[in-house]
RNA sequence: CGGGCGGUGGCGCAGUGGUAGCGCACGCGGUUUGGGACCGUGAGGUCGCGGGUUCGAAUCCCGCUCGCCCGACCA
């Protein structure tokens, strides 16, 4: 069969149409699909398995830092949202509102909300849970002895988005939201920063996504927060993706919900709260960080299948039996070994497709290691393996493979992070003058502007108006103020005024 | 939510007024099998939904819906 043959499931190349590539990849890798409800997605088993692996890695870390999981209601009384003025302003425009409790048949036979069942107080489908959790926390916290209160919940939330994309922005998405209460600012701040570090570690070590750790500007921070930290990643189209956020909520929600405690010296004291979250958006981030024109590429730490075994001949019962017997000891050994805290997951592809077809199938799904076992290998006690990330096929013995594969997976995991970091650095510039800044962000080919630009580290005067003007002109925003960068003594790259005192170069980019 | 484009079998598409077809995928039989096999034979579609025009609508008109792209908004 000629290799030039065009298959219906061949992906549009990233260079040709980046968003078409993304959409097709999500489909052919069987990660998710659109549902009958606008803007909502069905996460398919393979995509959900990835989410479960992310969940497991993060949940471990959340518990290791002393938090407990709990669950709060999907519905929030409308009045709760109003208790924090900035918060309600931030979310009012994208809330699903429940107004009735039952349906009835209209004269024409269609179902309509029963007017008699109108709710006395309308319920909001949670866009986030600060308020409903705050109401509980106010009752849970009595004394300084109850602090810190460290809670997390895994949940779905709904934000009525106008423009959606699978995983990156859907009306309903899955996430975890941590909510904590502290005795003072310092402890809340310590918590906020600690969880930010947990997110950095998750992103880099588990997802192999290099991130910039930083603080949001006033304009970009969470509605209701005192300040917001974030991790920002660069996708292959060089746009920024906010991959996680951690908020020091100050006393804003404590005030709104009466979260107070009696201090050691018996003074009724207003508490401090935090919240932090990452979502199924991370899956979009993984896709856009690592995958190529052949399909999905998964970091081994979250791959539902680490190793796929492709028997070269297995159609006849006696052939299959021979391969099964040959593989049995190998599968046993692999099962007993773990990578990133999870047993090596192996799948043998017994389907009667031809080997080449199987290769393409598993390539699309991003399985890190592909093993081939044919008659020649079996005679010699060997097998052949190849990596999704490329390189030559390797021949090794069946008995050595189980040990080798751990190193191979670790190498792949590390290699993905390094490759992504190199890509990001290659598309990051320190710029000091506006002309260069404009040139960097102005598409050379307006027909496909998505493959231009990247990150600019540039000075900022600190003025929100300046930030807004840049966004207006170039659709570029300040993604974050990096935390571990030295103060910058130069000028604002946008307006030429002196950079704000103590501020480092900030990260400017187009974003998702 | 505004502007543009689109929705025909699982996927990709053809079909401009006469009752629906192609490629891939799928079922069965056989020959095959180290990077997308071939032959034979089958199955599968209320043409997004609802109304209208017409003797007759996938096709023309209206409304709605969903998707994609561009804006505004956002994890």
């Amino acid at each position: 069969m000629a290799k030039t043959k065009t298959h219906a499931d061949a992906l549009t190349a990233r260079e040709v149409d980046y968003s078409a590539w993304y959409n097709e990849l999500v489909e052919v890798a069987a990660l998710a699909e659109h549902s009958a409800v606008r803007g909502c997605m069905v996460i398919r088993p393979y995509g959900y398995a990835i989410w479960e692996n992310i969940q497991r890695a993060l949940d471990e870390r959340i518990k290791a830092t002393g938090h407990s999981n709990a669950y709060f209601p999907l519905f929030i009384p409308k009045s709760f949202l109003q208790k924090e003025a900035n918060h309600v302003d931030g979310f009012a425009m994208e809330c699903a509102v429940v107004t009735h409790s039952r349906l009835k048949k209209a004269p024409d036979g269609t179902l309509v909300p029963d007017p008699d069942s109108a709710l006395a107080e309308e319920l909001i489908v949670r866009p986030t849970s600060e308020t409903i959790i705050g109401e509980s926390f106010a009752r849970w916290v009595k004394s300084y002895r109850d602090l810190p209160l460290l809670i997390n919940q895994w949940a779905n939330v709904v934000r009525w988005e106008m423009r959606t994309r699978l995983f990156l922005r859907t009306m309903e998405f899955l996430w975890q939201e941590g909510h904590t209460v502290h005795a003072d600012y310092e402890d809340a701040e310590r918590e906020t920063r600690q969880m930010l570090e947990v997110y950095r570690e998750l992103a880099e070590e588990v997802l192999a996504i290099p991130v910039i750790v930083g603080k949001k500007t006033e304009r970009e921070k969470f509605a209701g927060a005192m300040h917001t930290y974030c991790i920002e990643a660069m996708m292959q189209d060089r746009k920024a993706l906010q991959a996680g956020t951690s908020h020091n909520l100050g006393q804003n929600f404590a005030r709104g919900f009466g979260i107070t405690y009696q201090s050691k010296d018996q003074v009724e004291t207003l508490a401090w709260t935090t919240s932090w979250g990452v979502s199924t958006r991370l899956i979009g981030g993984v896709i856009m960080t690592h995958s190529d024109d052949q399909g999905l590429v998964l970091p081994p730490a979250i791959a539902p299948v680490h190793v796929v075994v492709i028997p070269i001949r297995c159609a006849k019962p006696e052939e299959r039996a021979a391969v099964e017997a040959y593989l049995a000891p190998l599968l046993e050994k692999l099962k007993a070994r773990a990578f990133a805290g999870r047993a090596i997951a192996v799948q043998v592809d017994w389907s009667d497709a031809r080997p080449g077809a199987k290769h393409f199938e598993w390539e699309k799904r991003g399985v890190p290691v592909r093993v081939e076992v044919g008659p020649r290998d079996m005679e010699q006690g060997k097998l052949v393996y190849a990596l999704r990330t490329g390189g030559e096929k390797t021949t090794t013995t069946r008995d050595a493979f189980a040990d080798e594969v751990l190193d191979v997976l670790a190498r792949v995991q590390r290699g993905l992070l390094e490759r992504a970091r190199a890509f990001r650095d290659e598309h990051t510039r320190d710029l000091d003058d506006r002309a260069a800044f404009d040139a960097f962000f102005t598409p050379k080919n307006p027909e496909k502007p998505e493959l231009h630009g990247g990150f600019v580290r540039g000075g900022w005067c600190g003025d929100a108006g300046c930030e807004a003007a840049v966004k207006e002109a170039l659709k570029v925003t300040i993604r974050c103020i990096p935390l571990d960068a030295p103060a910058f003594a130069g000028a604002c790259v946008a307006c030429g005024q002196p950079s704000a005192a103590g501020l480092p170069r900030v990260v400017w980019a187009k974003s998702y």
Side-chain angles (χ1 to χ4, degrees):
Chain A
M1 173 50 61
K3 287 178 188 174
T4 51
K5 177 168 179 178
T6 305
H7 280 73
D9 53 3
L11 294 177
T12 300
R14 288 163 293 179
E15 290 285 337
V16 173
D17 187 337
Y18 192 80
S19 60
W21 167 79
Y22 178 86
N23 292 333
E24 291 166 15
L25 171 33
V26 169
E27 189 198 322
V28 303
L31 299 177
E33 62 188 24
H34 291 282
S35 73
V37 182
R38 183 186 78 80
C40 293
M41 67 177 161
V42 175
I43 304 178
R44 300 179 62 184
Y46 194 65
Y48 199 77
I50 294 171
W51 178 238
E52 287 179 310
N53 289 335
I54 295 173
Q55 264 188 309
R56 189 180 300 113
L58 180 55
D59 197 58
E60 256 166 30
R61 289 165 169 82
I62 288 171
K63 285 171 179 159
T65 43
H67 305 81
S68 301
N69 284 334
Y71 187 78
F72 296 84
L74 172 69
F75 299 124
I76 298 176
K78 191 171 70 178
S79 58
F80 281 24
L81 281 179
Q82 288 172 335
K83 294 187 181 186
E84 212 294 328
N86 291 317
H87 189 64
V88 68
D89 288 348
F91 284 106
M93 294 302 289
E94 49 185 20
C95 284
V97 184
V98 180
T99 56
H100 293 75
S101 67
R102 62 173 180 260
L103 299 169
K104 65 181 286 189
K105 271 194 180 165
D108 66 359
T110 59
L111 286 172
V112 295
D114 183 346
D116 294 337
S117 74
L119 270 47
E121 178 175 6
E122 289 162 350
L123 297 172
I124 311 304
V125 180
R126 61 183 166 214
T128 178
S129 304
E130 275 75 9
T131 59
I132 191 83
I133 291 179
E135 193 270 342
S136 281
F137 281 4
R139 284 179 286 105
W140 294 4
V141 174
K142 301 288 186 202
S143 152
Y144 72 93
R145 298 178 201 276
D146 299 324
L147 302 180
L149 176 61
L150 306 174
I151 299 297
N152 177 66
Q153 87 164 341
W154 289 95
N156 59 338
V157 288
V158 168
R159 298 178 186 177
W160 209 267
E161 299 290 349
M162 291 302 132
R163 199 170 165 185
T164 60
R165 294 192 75 187
L166 294 175
F167 291 116
L168 296 173
R169 175 166 293 101
T170 47
M171 296 220 307
E172 180 192 23
F173 57 92
L174 306 184
W175 75 347
Q176 60 65 222
E177 44 180 327
H179 295 272
T180 67
V181 188
H182 305 266
D184 52 37
Y185 170 81
E186 286 72 24
D187 200 50
E189 183 64 13
R190 193 176 308 122
E191 166 76 7
T192 310
R193 296 286 289 266
Q194 171 185 248
M195 299 320 291
L196 183 69
E197 169 57 17
V198 166
Y199 289 160
R200 185 207 60 77
E201 184 183 299
L202 176 77
E204 299 196 332
E205 294 181 15
V206 179
L207 309 177
I209 300 176
V211 291
I212 296 175
V213 178
K215 186 177 179 178
K216 286 294 188 191
T217 63
E218 282 301 299
R219 189 195 150 79
E220 298 280 332
K221 77 176 186 186
F222 175 72
M226 190 175 174
H227 50 253
T228 291
Y229 297 107
C230 62
I231 53 174
E232 294 281 333
M234 183 190 287
M235 304 294 100
Q236 291 183 74
D237 60 356
R238 305 171 204 172
K239 283 167 76 172
L241 182 78
Q242 178 175 309
T245 52
S246 183
H247 317 291
N248 186 330
L249 301 173
Q251 295 179 298
N252 297 343
F253 287 91
R255 196 175 296 113
F257 289 88
I259 307 175
T260 61
Y261 66 95
Q262 247 186 0
S263 67
K264 205 165 188 174
D265 45 3
Q266 306 193 3
V267 178
E268 189 73 5
T269 308
L270 198 56
W272 300 73
T273 65
T274 83
S275 68
W276 27 275
V278 300
S279 72
T280 37
R281 168 179 260 200
L282 288 175
I283 296 174
V286 167
I287 295 167
M288 290 198 294
T289 299
H290 303 302
S291 300
D292 59 25
D293 291 345
Q294 275 61 57
L296 185 62
V297 173
L298 285 172
I302 57 164
V305 178
H306 293 113
V307 179
V308 62
V309 180
I310 300 187
I312 301 304
R313 287 171 185 252
C314 62
K316 295 177 183 157
E318 62 273 22
E319 287 170 348
R320 174 163 175 161
V323 176
E324 276 180 335
Y326 185 74
L327 288 178
L330 173 64
L331 299 183
E332 275 308 304
K333 282 172 85 172
L334 285 171
K335 241 186 291 178
R337 282 163 177 71
F339 179 79
R342 193 156 50 90
I344 302 284
V346 191
Q347 184 156 336
V348 184
D349 187 344
W350 294 114
S351 69
D352 58 5
R354 292 163 71 91
K358 296 181 186 182
H359 297 165
F360 282 100
E361 174 63 23
W362 293 102
E363 192 166 67
K364 280 185 296 191
R365 289 180 161 235
V367 175
V369 181
R370 183 186 82 231
V371 168
E372 296 168 28
V373 174
R376 293 204 299 271
D377 305 304
M378 294 198 285
E379 279 171 25
Q380 305 170 48
K382 292 189 170 171
L383 56 75
V384 173
Y385 67 89
L387 304 185
R388 175 61 181 85
T389 41
E392 296 297 304
K393 287 187 187 181
T394 304
T395 301
T396 187
T397 65
R398 177 192 63 179
D399 298 330
F401 180 75
D403 294 320
E404 249 175 87
V405 75
L406 286 176
D407 292 335
V408 166
L409 293 174
R411 205 167 72 228
V412 167
Q413 181 81 25
R414 198 177 333 114
L416 288 173
L417 177 63
E418 283 166 7
R419 186 173 73 176
R421 183 171 280 137
F423 178 87
R424 183 193 66 190
D425 293 348
E426 183 187 337
H427 297 289
T428 300
R429 304 267 187 287
D430 284 2
L431 293 182
D432 294 316
D433 77 276
R434 182 60 191 264
F437 185 87
D438 286 357
F440 186 73
F441 286 117
T442 301
K444 292 182 184 66
N445 176 6
E447 297 305 311
K448 50 172 189 175
E450 64 274 22
L451 290 184
H452 293 275
F455 288 0
V456 163
R457 286 188 297 214
W460 180 45
C461 59
D463 177 35
C466 182
E467 189 184 6
V470 171
K471 181 175 183 181
E472 174 71 24
L474 295 166
K475 294 172 214 151
V476 168
T477 51
I478 297 176
R479 298 324 305 154
C480 68
I481 304 161
L483 289 185
D484 51 2
F488 177 61
C492 174
V493 70
C495 68
Q497 295 295 304
S499 177
L503 220 61
R505 288 177 179 273
V506 302
V507 176
W508 303 80
K510 292 179 186 172
S511 71
Y512 277 95

